[in-house]
Amino acid sequence: MLAAISKAKNELIPPEDFTPDSYFNEIASRVYAEYQKMLRQNNAYDFDDLLCEVVYLFRNQPDVLKKYQTQYDHVLVDEFQDTNTAQYAMVNLLTAAKRNLYIVGDSDQSVYRWRGADYRNVKKFENDHSDTQVILLEQNYRSTQNVLDAAMSVINKNHNRTRKQLFTERGTGTKIQIYEAYNEAEEAEYVVSTIATLIKRDELNASDMAIMYRTNAQSRPLEEVFIRGNLPYRLVGATRFYGRREVKDVIAFLRLVHNPNDTVSLQRIINVPTRGIGAKTVETLFKAAEIAQAAPSEILLDAERCKKVGGRGGIPLSEFGDVLRGWIESKSELPVAKLIDRILSDIDYNRYINDGTEEGDERWDNVIELRGVAVEYPQITLSEFLEQVALVSDQDTLTEGGGPTLLTLHAAKGLEFGTVFLVGLDEGVLPHERSFDDEESMAEERRLMYVGLTRAKDRLFITRAFRRTTYGGADVMNPSRFLADLPDHLLTGNFSKASRNSESYNRMTTWESSVKRDASKPVRLKIEDSDSKYKTGQRVKHPMFGDGMIIESKGEGDDELVTVAFEGTGIKRLMANVAELKILKG
């Protein structure tokens, strides 16, 4: 594939009036043609070819089609909502003679559109076969009725689907707990502390719990809280955050800027993105450094010596040395986040890592998530930042234990857990911002939410954050539109639909000022609800955060939200019914 791309780029000279899109499309077209040519030369097929070639064979070789039509009396296709156009055609051809076809599918659970799946195949099947008998499986054996009602309230907003009325004999179940955190760090702390409480208080099995999110990048704050608390967890379908290639790349650039003699980091990124510095050039550079009894970076940062030792690779070596020198000179002047910005911009890393696919977008999201760590601590030095990352990433390699499962909503399809946490219910996160301008994409986001909700058997927690760290800084977020779909009588917690849109900005201002309170001034005591269990000024103890003082309490019973100033970890907002706070005397 790389050879095909290189060949296409070398052969295509952009016209004077070219646009990036037209140039990219032309490149893609030539790459595909060259790729297909290489497959034929190697007598090979890829997976897409296997499907298309079978359809082509059935349509053009009647004898072959008849053989297989005769061979199979009955055909059953499972997960039919995930079939693509070629698969639909192949099944129709295969069963055309005996018409004994049985399909199982749920268009509400079609979440692989980006892989070519077309949920409309379910409806198309009914239209193409007038004698189709449809059997709705509406009894659910997994979830409680509250979970099912919540899921239906979300999915019923989608059009072009067969409407179902799910029911269960498992009973109503507990209400769905909604929690609004200040930011993603507090959101992660709430989730992990709630899990710890449920395990200790209710003796729940940690391996029967799951935390689900829209993109892999969202695992970072969750993983860090688990690691700091020395708690086991299992990550499904992805490499742990600090082990992801793009994250390791950016850290290697920063380490090299901090310590130019770091040859391990230098070897990792000297040709990332590709800049014409091949393995032979790198070998020559290191040999020259050995002979001169110097660090490779000393030669790299000396333009004249680079040109002498590098041969044809001397020029790109020298150019990279110039860029590296600029980073080193600016490291003491720029905050870490701005230094990361400069590095990413100078090497055009987004273009390198993001190929426009969903996977490419997630790789870039991981880079931005790492940058967000620096944004959270604006005064942190590069040395301190690297120390913090090193501590977390070293523990990140520990063997996974039997803890809660962390996974994306796509990876959760087909699974079930006793307790489920859906995190990141904010506009732009879930639903993802890529879906805003496309009706079909938004419908798939809604189906993804439906899948996440219906993974829960007994308990369901949903969280969001007022602020999230993005590329530009900590942005105020609006609650996900999916939260507005959930009926009030199914919910409990500190989320109020009245806090949507403009009011969320006002609440954010209040929350932010309380978090950044001047520690030298006394806490302003507020009047709580008269029936609150916890009172302002009470000293309490939390199993994870230790001793603290309640500075605010809202609501009562299951809806009581307490704000506690802990001695070691600062201000936390906790739902009293799951926080397991112990009131201390005095």
Side-chain angles (χ1 to χ4, degrees):
M1 179 61 81
L2 291 176
I5 294 174
S6 177
K7 187 174 187 295
K9 284 184 176 179
N10 292 335
E11 290 180 352
L12 182 61
I13 300 175
E16 293 183 2
D17 60 345
F18 90 104
T19 63
D21 285 345
S22 64
Y23 182 62
F24 174 80
N25 291 337
E26 182 63 25
I27 285 285
S29 176
R30 295 196 181 200
V31 167
Y32 180 75
E34 187 66 23
Y35 173 63
Q36 291 297 317
K37 180 181 175 182
M38 292 169 63
L39 286 174
R40 297 296 179 267
Q41 289 173 347
N42 288 274
N43 194 29
Y45 288 114
D46 62 16
F47 182 71
D48 291 337
D49 285 338
L50 290 175
L51 294 172
C52 294
E53 291 295 332
V54 169
V55 174
Y56 180 84
L57 180 68
F58 282 174
R59 286 176 173 170
N60 293 276
Q61 299 293 334
D63 292 343
V64 175
L65 175 59
K66 184 177 180 180
K67 172 187 175 183
Y68 288 99
Q69 286 178 335
T70 305
Q71 183 171 338
Y72 300 110
D73 292 328
H74 302 273
V75 174
L76 183 150
V77 182
D78 196 12
E79 302 288 0
F80 198 76
Q81 76 278 352
D82 293 331
T83 57
N84 57 33
T85 302
Q87 290 168 325
Y88 184 87
M90 181 176 66
V91 170
N92 272 348
L93 288 167
L94 188 62
T95 60
K98 297 185 178 179
R99 298 179 59 79
N100 284 332
L101 174 59
Y102 188 96
I103 70 168
V104 180
D106 181 3
S107 57
D108 291 338
Q109 297 191 54
S110 181
V111 294
Y112 297 120
R113 180 168 172 256
W114 50 281
R115 291 182 182 174
D118 191 345
Y119 73 96
R120 293 170 297 185
N121 281 349
V122 176
K123 203 69 178 176
K124 190 172 187 294
F125 179 85
E126 294 183 50
N127 296 334
D128 289 348
H129 302 84
S130 58
D131 56 343
T132 297
Q133 180 183 1
V134 179
I135 304 171
L136 293 180
L137 303 178
E138 296 177 298
Q139 182 170 0
N140 183 287
Y141 297 91
R142 171 192 298 149
S143 306
T144 62
Q145 194 63 52
N146 277 348
V147 171
L148 298 180
D149 289 347
M152 285 186 290
S153 70
V154 171
I155 201 62
N156 282 341
K157 294 292 183 70
N158 272 357
H159 307 295
N160 302 318
R161 55 180 289 271
T162 300
R163 196 177 181 92
K164 300 181 292 293
Q165 187 60 44
L166 301 180
F167 69 93
T168 182
E169 295 180 355
R170 294 199 62 227
T172 302
T174 60
K175 287 187 176 183
I176 298 166
Q177 186 88 41
I178 310 288
Y179 182 77
E180 289 185 297
Y182 176 74
N183 57 21
E184 64 264 43
E186 185 182 306
E187 180 182 43
E189 289 175 350
Y190 165 77
V191 170
V192 177
S193 64
T194 301
I195 287 174
T197 298
L198 291 173
I199 292 172
K200 181 178 180 181
R201 186 191 67 191
D202 299 343
E203 299 183 349
L204 299 184
N205 188 345
S207 61
D208 195 29
M209 299 181 181
I211 308 170
M212 301 176 187
Y213 34 78
R214 176 62 178 82
T215 65
N216 278 310
Q218 291 172 256
S219 74
R220 196 274 307 169
L222 291 160
E223 290 186 67
E224 290 198 356
V225 175
F226 274 110
I227 291 168
R228 288 200 305 269
N230 197 28
L231 300 172
Y233 67 95
R234 295 178 295 171
L235 192 65
V236 172
T239 305
R240 292 195 169 202
F241 182 80
Y242 287 99
R244 295 167 191 169
R245 184 189 72 175
E246 56 276 9
V247 174
K248 294 171 76 173
D249 280 351
V250 176
I251 292 173
F253 277 109
L254 294 174
R255 283 177 173 162
L256 186 61
V257 171
H258 176 62
N259 174 22
N261 293 337
D262 184 346
T263 56
V264 174
S265 294
L266 176 62
Q267 285 180 298
R268 179 179 183 89
I269 52 82
I270 194 169
N271 200 38
V272 174
T274 51
R275 51 177 63 92
I277 304 175
K280 184 68 176 176
T281 301
V282 175
E283 183 181 353
T284 304
L285 171 66
F286 275 69
K287 281 186 177 179
E290 184 179 352
I291 292 171
Q293 294 186 332
S297 60
E298 290 184 37
I299 297 176
L300 185 64
L301 295 170
D302 187 327
E304 293 304 317
R305 293 173 76 180
C306 269
K307 293 174 182 177
K308 291 178 181 178
V309 304
R312 286 187 301 176
I315 294 178
L317 266 182
S318 177
E319 290 174 345
F320 179 61
D322 290 341
V323 175
L324 177 60
R325 189 183 308 108
W327 298 338
I328 294 171
E329 291 172 353
S330 64
K331 71 177 181 180
S332 59
E333 303 171 1
L334 295 176
V336 177
K338 294 296 183 183
L339 178 61
I340 293 174
D341 290 344
R342 177 172 175 178
I343 293 173
L344 296 176
S345 175
D346 286 349
I347 64 177
D348 201 4
Y349 195 69
N350 187 8
R351 184 182 180 90
Y352 169 69
I353 204 70
N354 190 350
D355 56 4
T357 63
E358 184 148 339
E359 291 88 344
D361 287 340
E362 287 211 357
R363 288 192 290 267
W364 182 243
D365 286 345
N366 287 331
V367 173
I368 300 308
E369 184 66 31
L370 177 65
R371 180 191 182 276
V373 178
V375 172
E376 289 178 16
Y377 307 98
Q379 303 304 318
I380 197 172
T381 66
L382 178 58
S383 175
E384 292 168 339
F385 177 81
L386 291 173
E387 286 178 12
Q388 178 176 317
V389 167
L391 287 172
V392 177
S393 57
D394 285 346
Q395 295 177 69
D396 194 28
T397 61
L398 295 174
T399 304
E400 295 179 352
T405 301
L406 278 63
L407 71 172
T408 65
L409 288 165
H410 282 103
K413 187 170 176 291
L415 303 178
E416 61 180 36
F417 301 88
T419 302
V420 167
F421 291 81
L422 294 184
V423 302
L425 263 293
D426 299 298
E427 286 289 289
V429 181
L430 181 64
H432 198 281
E433 60 184 354
R434 287 191 299 265
S435 67
F436 286 172
D437 299 324
D438 182 69
E439 186 177 347
E440 281 297 328
S441 295
M442 182 58 69
E444 177 140 310
E445 293 293 302
R446 195 173 287 278
R447 293 194 293 270
L448 203 54
M449 176 69 174
Y450 173 82
V451 166
L453 291 169
T454 54
R455 299 311 93 194
K457 293 191 290 185
D458 304 310
R459 293 173 177 82
L460 181 59
F461 295 78
I462 299 177
T463 67
R464 66 167 301 264
F466 275 126
R467 285 188 182 272
R468 288 195 184 274
T469 304
T470 59
Y471 193 78
D475 292 338
V476 173
M477 306 296 292
N478 280 322
S480 168
R481 66 192 69 188
F482 301 151
L483 290 176
D485 297 332
L486 302 176
D488 288 331
H489 71 275
L490 301 179
L491 311 177
T492 186
N494 72 332
F495 174 76
S496 168
K497 292 179 183 178
S499 69
R500 292 178 59 81
N501 302 324
S502 61
E503 289 194 30
S504 66
Y505 286 83
N506 297 330
R507 289 186 63 190
M508 175 56 70
T509 304
T510 303
W511 278 37
E512 186 176 32
S513 63
S514 67
V515 171
K516 296 182 178 180
R517 179 180 58 82
D518 186 347
S520 65
K521 298 179 180 179
V523 176
R524 179 183 295 175
L525 303 183
K526 299 187 178 181
I527 299 174
E528 311 90 345
D529 296 330
S530 58
D531 292 332
S532 297
K533 177 181 178 182
Y534 299 96
K535 308 295 181 183
T536 298
Q538 279 182 330
R539 292 192 56 78
V540 294
K541 185 181 183 67
H542 186 275
M544 176 178 290
F545 303 132
D547 292 352
M549 177 181 289
I550 292 178
I551 59 177
E552 184 180 6
S553 177
K554 296 180 179 178
E556 58 184 85
D558 287 345
D559 292 333
E560 186 171 357
L561 171 68
V562 293
T563 303
V564 186
F566 289 103
E567 295 174 0
T569 56
I571 294 177
K572 306 293 180 186
R573 290 164 188 81
L574 308 167
M575 293 306 300
N577 66 321
V578 295
E580 199 175 1
L581 292 172
K582 180 181 178 181
I583 298 175
L584 302 177
K585 294 181 179 180

